[in-house]
Amino acid sequence: MRAALLEAPGQDMAVVDDIDVDEVRPLQVRVRVTHCGVCHSDLHLLDGSIPCALPAILGHEAAGVVEEIGAGVTHLAPGDKVVLSARPFCGACYWCVRGEVQLCARATELFTGMRADFTTGLSRAGQMVFIGVGLAAFGEIVVTQATGAVKVPDDTPLDVAAVIGCAIQTGVGAVVNTAKVEEGATVLIVGLGGIGVALAQGARLAGASKIIGVDPLPARREQALAFGVTDTVDPTEVDLLAAGMDLTDGIGVDYAFEAVGRVELIEACFAALRNGGTAVAVGVPNIESVISLPGIGFLSEKRLIGTLLGSANSMREIPRLLDLWRAGRLDLEGMVTARRPLADINLAFDDMKAGIGLRTVIEMPA
C-alpha cells in the first residue's frame, strides 16, 4: 500500500508505495482509509520530542470504509463506513471490566507501536514498520481490532467525521467525561488549536457560563469565538492568573484545560484555579518534562488530572458525537480548515508548526 513513512525524527516523511499489510486475523477488521486528520500528537513523534520505534507510519484521526472482517466480528460488514479509534479495547482486562476502556492494558499500539503480541502487521522489504500513534492511518489500509472501528451511517461525510476520532473525542470528552464540567461553571482553555476549540465546544455543550480562550495568535483567538469561547486573552500581554481572576471577579476559574503540552502552561492553569477547582492536562508534554506545583495549593483542594482520548469509550462516544453534530450542537465542518493529498503531508505539518488553521485533513486516493 501507499503510506507516509517516518524513518528518522526531525526529517520529512517519505511517501512510499511498497508497504506490505498482513492478512486480517480473527476479531480484526481491514479498513481502507479515506481521510485522516493531522494532529499535534503526530508532530511530537515527527520532531522527536516523544521518541518512538522507527520506521513508523503516523496518523490516528481517521475514517474509512471496511474492506474485510476477521472471524468473530459481528458488528461490521464490508462496505460499512467507520470512524477509527487509536484505542481499540479488549473488553476483558482489569480496566475494561471497570468501564475504563481507554486505559485497556492490551491496547498497546499507542505507546509501543506494536500490538500486544509484539507484531505490527506492517512491513517494508521484510523489515517491520511500526504503528505510529496507535493506528498508522497515514496509509491507505489500516488493520485493527474490530473494537477500534465504529460504524457510522452511510450518509456520513467521512472528511468531517474523521476529526471525531481524536480532536472532538478528546476535547469534548475531557470536558464532559474527565472533568465533568457542570452547567454554569467557568472554564479556562489554554491553546486554541484543534483540541482547544474542541474543548470549547465541549464546554458549550456542558452549559459553561464563561469560556475563556487563551492563545498568542490573533487569528486563533478570533476563530475560537465561533466555537463557544466567550472571552479571549493574549498571553503575551496578560498573565494567565491575572486574566482568570479578572474575568471571575477575583474568584479564579472552576476548570482550566491545557491543550498545548507545555508544563509551564499546566502550572499556570493550576494557579488560575479557584480553591476547589480542577485543572486538566490535555496536551502531550515533551517526554522529559516534569511538572512543578506548590504543595500548599493542594490544601485548597485544587486538583490536577490527566486525560487520554477524553476518557471515552469510542464505541459509545463516536455515535453520540455524530448525533450531536447532526442536531447542530457540534461544528465539525468548521474544524476542517484545509484538505491536502497524501503527497502534501509534510506541507500540512508545516502549516501546523506555523499555527495556520485548525485541522488539515489528508485525503487518501480512491
Side-chain angles (χ1 to χ4, degrees):
M1 73 168 178
R2 193 163 179 253
L5 187 68
L6 176 63
E7 299 180 277
Q11 294 184 4
D12 283 351
M13 284 178 282
V15 178
V16 300
D17 60 5
D18 57 351
I19 302 294
D20 294 317
V21 184
D22 286 356
E23 295 296 319
V24 175
R25 299 178 180 180
L27 301 181
Q28 290 183 341
V29 60
R30 175 186 171 106
V31 175
R32 179 161 294 275
V33 177
T34 61
H35 301 86
C36 186
V38 176
C39 177
H40 206 276
S41 296
D42 296 304
L43 180 59
H44 283 305
L45 274 60
L46 181 62
D47 66 17
S49 59
I50 294 180
C52 69
L54 296 174
I57 300 170
L58 308 184
H60 63 284
E61 186 180 81
V65 178
V66 174
E67 285 195 336
E68 182 183 352
I69 60 172
V73 177
T74 59
H75 71 286
L76 295 170
D80 285 345
K81 285 186 174 183
V82 292
V83 173
L84 297 173
S85 170
R87 295 293 288 174
F89 56 90
C90 72
C93 71
Y94 174 84
W95 288 272
C96 283
V97 298
R98 287 174 57 88
E100 299 170 339
V101 298
Q102 77 280 6
L103 302 178
C104 175
R106 295 172 188 162
T108 58
E109 294 91 337
L110 183 62
F111 298 111
T112 70
M114 295 183 288
R115 300 165 178 163
D117 63 0
F118 303 105
T119 67
T120 67
L122 301 169
S123 61
R124 187 186 188 210
Q127 179 187 12
M128 181 180 287
V129 172
F130 291 90
I131 304 168
V133 202
L135 204 54
F138 289 146
E140 295 172 327
I141 300 293
V142 163
V143 175
T144 185
Q145 288 296 112
T147 54
V150 182
K151 183 178 178 179
V152 297
D154 291 341
D155 62 349
T156 303
L158 294 182
D159 57 336
V160 296
V163 300
I164 297 177
C166 179
I168 290 290
Q169 194 170 202
T170 297
V172 174
V175 173
V176 301
N177 300 327
T178 308
K180 296 180 173 60
V181 171
E182 69 275 9
E183 190 172 12
T186 56
V187 171
L188 176 73
I189 300 168
V190 180
L192 297 174
I195 297 295
V197 298
L199 286 162
Q201 295 207 64
R204 180 171 60 184
L205 280 171
S209 62
K210 192 177 290 290
I211 305 171
I212 305 163
V214 180
D215 200 287
L217 297 178
R220 284 196 164 172
R221 294 197 301 273
E222 179 64 28
Q223 67 189 359
L225 296 172
F227 293 95
V229 168
T230 60
D231 302 86
T232 61
V233 174
D234 181 351
T236 65
E237 296 182 354
V238 182
D239 175 79
L240 287 190
L241 174 59
M245 290 295 178
D246 288 346
L247 291 166
T248 58
D249 297 323
I251 296 170
V253 296
D254 295 315
Y255 299 91
F257 297 86
E258 199 279 348
V260 180
R262 288 169 47 188
V263 294
E264 66 270 24
L265 296 178
I266 296 173
E267 294 163 3
C269 283
F270 189 81
L273 294 173
R274 66 165 174 84
N275 290 346
T278 299
V280 185
V282 185
V284 181
N286 182 297
I287 195 168
E288 297 178 351
S289 299
V290 177
I291 300 169
S292 179
L293 295 172
I296 196 71
F298 293 98
L299 291 179
S300 301
E301 296 196 7
K302 291 185 178 185
R303 293 176 291 272
L304 172 63
I305 58 178
T307 185
L308 177 62
L309 202 64
S311 305
N313 178 338
S314 297
M315 296 290 286
R316 172 177 180 267
E317 201 79 355
I318 289 171
R320 180 170 72 158
L321 293 168
L322 195 58
D323 285 344
L324 287 167
W325 167 71
R326 291 183 184 278
R329 299 181 64 193
L330 274 179
D331 181 0
L332 301 183
E333 294 94 339
M335 297 278 294
V336 181
T337 50
R339 293 170 173 81
R340 288 186 179 273
L342 184 62
D344 289 349
I345 184 74
N346 293 303
L347 296 177
F349 278 98
D350 289 342
D351 287 346
M352 176 182 287
K353 295 172 190 175
I356 297 171
L358 292 175
R359 264 299 189 270
T360 295
V361 170
I362 299 300
E363 298 179 320
M364 298 293 181

